[in-house]
Amino acid sequence: MKIRRVLATAVALAVTTPAALLSVSPAYADAKPAAQTQEKQSKPTIEELEEAAAEAQKAYDKAVEAEAAGRVEVDKALDDLSEVDGTHPLAVASAAARQAAKDAADAKTAADQAVTEAKAALDALPETATEEERTAAETALSEAEATATTAATTKTAADAAAAEAREKLDDARVAAVRAYGVLQKAVEDARAVKAAADAALAKAIKEAEEGEEDGEGEDCEPELEPDLTSKVTGLPDKLVAGTSTDFSLRVTNGSDRHMDEVLAFVSVHATDKSGLKDTDKFFRLQWSTKSAPKWQNADAHDYIDAVGALKPGAHADVKLRLTLDKATPAGNGAAFFAADFFNEDGSCGGAPDLDMYEFDVKAAGSKPGKTEDAKPSTAPRPGNTGTTPQGSASGTPATTGSLAATGSSSATTSIALAGGAAVLLGAAAVFVVRRRKTGSDA
């Protein structure tokens, strides 16, 4: 059994992300999903999940339509901007400048040939040539050289004008492709958001069915337990792609009550340098303990079930190993840690906040340089009323709490979460937005 706050966060992300996604392109300006005004709930219903999935489907359908229309427009624009027979003013200007440069080059070639011939004529004069003949040959050479100098200057100017015209034409073509690229990215994001919403719905239905079969009934109402702490040691602030890093997590029950079952929560999230692309798929987290010394992969729920019971004042250690694939792009990452407890009397709860450890990701083969242990900062935990980041009117999660105080950019806009970025963790969503804002100011 897991505290359903994780699922609740997935729902909140699935509900708010389509609204944020719709703000990416003006093509979606007429879409105003009801989910945009829906508040996050600590325990969503399947009906709410179905509504979120429906909104995600609508956003995806609109993105596909806009991308198809954009394809037609970009093809037309590229035809008009063709360097060969384009009708756009920039294409016409570039063609004219290119022809002028060719004419100037031909004129310079002819002038240079005239200089060569004039020199040859002067050198070929016999010793018996008269003074008038020699003067005429020298004058012809001088005039040919002057003409060649003028032709060279004209060619240089024509080449520069052609290059400038071509650059303007190329810039226009790049702008057209980039505009289409925004629509392609919107489709990619919408597809990922739809997949996240569908997965959250499927998971809720499955867990509801499993709960009925197991006779679980309603989940317990989680209590906040600030004395249940998670402390990490040995996680460096710089990681290199293609390497593995071992570190440890100590979960301590600093309260005065016995906890029958304690679970550690660990989630890793990362983006590339731009902050626009999630790179979580390149990370693999494994764990081991004294009772289970063999390395095991962290489960899909980001929980480690091997802590067991903890008496008041007791602690348990978990060894962790984070492996980065060689293909991991350079960028930024963060690991989130917390703990939950469950008791046989039906009570349950966990730490009110997540401890966040940020780190830099270096490309494969890089030297990490001087490293230090990553320092923790506190991020609001899903379900922690009053500190959970709420979506703004535009659908963009706000950066609140101590996470926003760690140096986030004050850029006025942010790009919508990239679908798979719904790491089932609200704090990770804030981390993505903060990184992307920083990237947009770079």
Side-chain angles (χ1 to χ4, degrees):
M1 182 176 67
K2 305 290 190 301
I3 292 179
R4 299 301 170 84
R5 74 180 76 190
V6 175
L7 177 60
T9 306
V11 177
L13 287 173
V15 169
T16 59
T17 300
L21 177 63
L22 296 181
S23 68
V24 173
S25 170
Y28 310 144
D30 61 339
K32 297 179 181 179
Q36 186 170 345
T37 59
Q38 187 170 341
E39 296 182 354
K40 294 183 181 180
Q41 300 180 3
S42 60
K43 189 176 181 182
T45 64
I46 289 180
E47 287 74 16
E48 290 167 335
L49 281 168
E50 289 174 338
E51 182 180 355
E55 292 295 340
Q57 180 68 54
K58 290 179 183 178
Y60 174 69
D61 291 342
K62 285 184 175 291
V64 171
E65 291 175 7
E67 190 270 343
R71 180 70 196 189
V72 174
E73 291 300 320
V74 75
D75 286 344
K76 182 177 181 300
L78 293 179
D79 285 342
D80 291 345
L81 292 166
S82 171
E83 203 169 20
V84 178
D85 54 2
T87 58
H88 190 281
L90 289 176
V92 174
S94 179
R98 187 169 66 254
Q99 183 60 49
K102 182 179 181 303
D103 292 343
D106 292 342
K108 181 179 181 301
T109 299
D112 290 342
Q113 180 62 32
V115 170
T116 300
E117 292 173 354
K119 284 182 178 178
L122 178 61
D123 292 341
L125 285 176
E127 293 182 3
T128 58
T130 65
E131 187 65 26
E132 290 79 5
E133 291 174 332
R134 186 169 297 280
T135 298
E138 290 174 348
T139 299
L141 174 59
S142 178
E143 291 175 349
E145 288 175 338
T147 300
T149 299
T150 300
T153 301
T154 301
K155 180 181 181 300
T156 299
D159 287 344
E164 182 180 358
R166 186 182 303 112
E167 183 177 0
K168 290 180 179 179
L169 182 62
D170 288 343
D171 287 346
R173 298 177 71 185
V174 169
V177 173
R178 281 180 176 170
Y180 176 61
V182 171
L183 299 178
Q184 287 182 308
K185 183 64 166 59
V187 171
E188 178 185 336
D189 288 350
R191 183 184 296 110
V193 170
K194 176 181 175 298
D198 290 344
L201 174 59
K203 180 178 178 182
I205 293 173
K206 181 179 179 181
E207 290 191 353
E209 292 172 348
E210 290 176 348
E212 292 174 0
E213 292 173 0
D214 297 340
E216 286 184 0
E218 293 294 323
D219 290 328
C220 67
E221 195 65 35
E223 307 171 33
L224 299 183
E225 181 48 81
D227 292 325
L228 180 58
T229 59
S230 305
K231 182 178 180 181
V232 172
T233 56
L235 176 63
D237 59 0
K238 298 181 184 67
L239 300 177
V240 178
T243 65
S244 294
T245 300
D246 290 352
F247 56 105
S248 62
L249 170 68
R250 171 164 290 187
V251 179
T252 301
N253 177 11
S255 72
D256 58 1
R257 59 174 160 181
H258 185 277
M259 296 179 182
D260 296 327
E261 182 184 4
V262 176
L263 307 178
F265 180 86
V266 182
S267 184
V268 179
H269 189 70
T271 69
D272 63 0
K273 283 185 176 181
S274 71
L276 301 176
K277 182 178 180 181
D278 298 310
T279 57
D280 305 1
K281 66 180 181 180
F282 297 104
F283 289 71
R284 182 172 63 135
L285 182 67
Q286 296 175 291
W287 61 269
S288 70
T289 61
K290 271 188 177 181
S291 60
K294 185 177 179 181
W295 287 106
Q296 301 183 50
N297 293 328
D299 69 20
H301 304 288
D302 297 320
Y303 276 97
I304 296 173
D305 300 344
V307 176
L310 286 181
K311 298 178 181 179
H315 67 261
D317 293 320
V318 180
K319 293 181 181 179
L320 297 170
R321 172 173 292 172
L322 186 58
T323 301
L324 281 64
D325 189 273
K326 285 185 179 180
T328 308
N332 308 286
F336 300 89
F337 300 88
D340 289 332
F341 74 88
F342 302 89
N343 288 331
E344 293 179 359
D345 62 6
S347 61
C348 68
D353 296 309
L354 292 156
D355 288 330
M356 181 179 74
Y357 292 75
E358 293 189 75
F359 53 83
D360 293 331
V361 178
K362 305 293 184 182
S366 302
K367 299 294 183 183
K370 183 179 180 181
T371 62
E372 299 179 357
D373 279 2
K375 300 296 189 295
S377 58
T378 302
R381 184 165 188 178
N384 184 358
T385 304
T387 59
T388 302
Q390 300 294 318
S392 68
S394 67
T396 304
T399 50
T400 59
S402 57
L403 178 58
T406 60
S408 69
S409 164
S410 59
T412 57
T413 60
S414 64
I415 298 176
L417 294 177
V423 189
L424 305 186
L425 189 62
V430 181
F431 168 73
V432 172
V433 172
R434 186 161 77 87
R435 284 297 182 192
R436 291 181 182 178
K437 284 185 177 181
T438 302
S440 68
D441 287 347

